[in-house]
Amino acid sequence: MIPFLILLVLEGIPLLFLEFTIGQRLRKGSVGVWSAIHPALKGIGIASMFVSFIVGLYYNTIIAWVMWYFFNSFQDPLPWSDCPLTANRTGYVEECARSSSVDYFWYRETLNISTSISDSGSVQWWVLLCLTSAWSVLYVCTIRGIETTGKAVYITSTLPYVVLTIFLIRGLTLKGATDGIVFLFTPNITELANPVTWLDAGAQVFYSFSLAFGGLISFSSYNSVHNNCEMDSVIVSIINGFTSVYAATVVYSIIGFRATERYDSCFSTNILTLINGFDLPEGNVTQDNFAEMQQWCNAKDPVAYAKLRFQTCDMNSFLSEGVEGTGLAFIVFTEAITKMPVSPLWSVLFFIMLFCLGLSSMFGNMEGVVVPLQDLKLMPAKWPKELLTGLICLGMYLIAFVFTLNSGQYWLSLLDSYAGSIPLLIVAFCEMFAVVYVYGMDRFNRDIEFMIGHKPNIFWQVTWRVVSPLLMLVIFLFFFVIKVNEELTYSVWDPAYEEFPKSQKVPYPGWVYGVVVVVAGVPCLVIPSFAIYKLIRSCCQRPGGRQGLVSAPSAASVNGDLKY
């Protein structure tokens, strides 16, 4: 939480104001804006489009999984509350008995997951149906661009607050909720010193604001020229920061409840082991005197005590497990929901909230793909926007079939790890560098003064010029230095693993490195590649037609027009 809040102030808010301003001033999408600043910077807009496209592929798959759980929530008891019986109905399915009912429902009933990313398997028809529904709903909501998303966002943005409040009230009444909240706000020095933590926090800032995707630039271009975009940035940032802390409090109250349940269960198992090992009276050993009873038993019969096998019951370990990625929604929360009274009701509310949050995020992603394609004029201008949006949704839907395979979860984790972090950081850095050092701060300050009536204050000046770019550069360099020599690994769900139900860490096959280069490298390399292309092209032109890479081809005047 601490890295997130720091980066929210020093990185998120300045970049949000910058994107609002540049979109509102130049009245274009992400490609058009950077082309207007300088033709060599068009690659920034193209890179944003690539990132929005790749993230949209797997993000809507998560919405499909949410829909699958939502449809299964109208049952009592919930289908993930108990393990299924074997075919002869004499016991539980072994994989479920060795793990848990929520793990089994997620990994086997929902994903039917394979044991390797190389083992693709077949398409899971139930996931495919949900994926079809998710893309159909998204198309209906974005069919006319800002006209339809503007109406849909009233529901998708407000309903989650209602559900979060309900969950917070319920969560605070659960045993162990305060332990989770205390864990959330307690600084972990080891994690703070890890560059990966800061990269993840930075990626979360980008996701929470939808920064560097290009969608915000497109949306802000619809604003009035004299709209107070500075006030908008501050208000959105305050609401965003509050929402993040509020949602994290709700989440960790539930995580605290789940961790306490597991801690108590672990302790009960250890107590039972000690009682059975020394034939002690039932109720004679409790959590409070367990350590003393261990010492007493060890002193009484060291040989018998040494044969006992106790589980490690560490509250912090239970609080840390499963608090990121898909495990948070589909394992941690679903397990906690099964422990609540009227669990189907809580499940329906929870997955409605996730659906609304995911859908509203996809609005910005789709805008970050559709508008750049229009700016690039890759499609005939006479094509209606409904057709273009439909073709994009259809294309992304067909590519997303890979996530419906047995190995789909592994593919999604791969893209989530490498397509939505480093590329966003590079795009954001280039955006800020382009405005400050190519477009020029003096010119940018005059644009802001023209739109809102005054120049930006010292906070904006310092963060734009120095703090934000330097912070992004340092995070990237530290991450690169640490990760460049590390072997890429991923977590596998394998019932044959000796430490099952723990996930097994295995190295990626060699061909995955090529996939990483494509999803993470291509968006980053588009920016310098396009600039080099423009440089070569300008060198090949007649001397009188040349245009330097850092010249000023466009200058915004104070009367609101662009001078060329």
Side-chain angles (χ1 to χ4, degrees), residues 543-560:
R546 291 185 182 178
Q547 183 177 307
L549 276 179
V550 291
S551 61
S554 63
S557 65
V558 291
N559 63 4

Side-chain angles (χ1 to χ4, degrees), residues 22-29 33 220-226:
I22 209 73
Q24 181 175 309
R25 183 65 185 89
L26 299 181
R27 326 294 296 166
K28 299 176 185 290
V33 157
S220 62
S221 67
Y222 297 103
N223 287 336
S224 166
V225 175
H226 295 288

Side-chain angles (χ1 to χ4, degrees), residues 7 194-204 206 417 421-422 425 475-476 479 483:
L7 294 181
N194 186 357
V196 177
T197 301
W198 291 88
L199 180 69
D200 291 341
Q204 185 57 41
F206 291 137
S417 298
S421 54
I422 288 296
L425 195 68
I475 291 174
F476 171 74
F479 175 82
K483 286 293 183 179

Side-chain angles (χ1 to χ4, degrees), residues 322-357:
V323 295
E324 56 185 25
T326 53
L328 176 60
F330 300 111
I331 295 178
V332 175
F333 255 85
T334 53
E335 183 179 349
I337 287 171
T338 59
K339 303 293 196 304
M340 299 179 183
V342 200
S343 54
L345 173 63
W346 299 110
S347 183
V348 168
L349 288 174
F350 177 67
F351 288 109
I352 285 177
M353 179 189 72
L354 288 188
F355 178 78
C356 291
L357 290 173

Side-chain angles (χ1 to χ4, degrees), residues 60 67 132-142 355 359 363:
N60 219 33
M67 295 178 75
T132 305
S133 301
W135 279 106
S136 300
V137 171
L138 180 64
Y139 174 65
V140 170
C141 291
T142 59
F355 178 78
L359 193 62
F363 292 160

Side-chain angles (χ1 to χ4, degrees), residues 126-166:
W126 55 91
V127 179
L128 180 60
L129 286 178
C130 292
L131 185 69
T132 305
S133 301
W135 279 106
S136 300
V137 171
L138 180 64
Y139 174 65
V140 170
C141 291
T142 59
I143 188 170
R144 297 292 300 276
I146 193 72
E147 298 176 30
T148 48
T149 56
K151 296 180 177 66
V153 78
Y154 285 114
I155 297 175
T156 60
S157 295
T158 55
L159 184 60
Y161 285 103
V162 177
V163 179
L164 278 175
T165 302
I166 295 172

